[in-house]
Amino acid sequence: MSTALVGMIAGMALGFADWFGGFGAFLMVAALGAVGFVAGRLVDSGTDLRDFLGGRDRGPR
């Protein structure tokens, strides 16, 4: 699936959520879409969640 097609589908989903559910539903769909995006990136890259959230190693102080 191309990036443009995924963006169009996401935009349509957000538009339907806003039309039928109001602004609160719009924000909920956007937040869940962001969570799904992060989960998909983690699965695709095979990155451990601790590496993703941990940031850089600071080393000894």
Side-chain angles (χ1 to χ4, degrees):
M1 221 188 278
S2 71
T3 306
L5 184 61
V6 172
M8 182 187 72
I9 292 170
M12 289 175 63
L14 289 172
F16 280 122
D18 186 40
W19 181 263
F20 291 110
F23 190 68
F26 173 82
L27 291 178
M28 180 68 78
V29 170
L32 291 175
V35 169
F37 174 76
V38 169
R41 291 288 296 223
L42 287 173
V43 169
D44 281 346
S45 66
T47 305
D48 188 21
L49 185 60
R50 289 172 285 178
D51 294 339
F52 187 75
L53 296 176
R56 294 185 267 172
D57 290 337
R58 294 189 176 149
R61 293 183 193 201

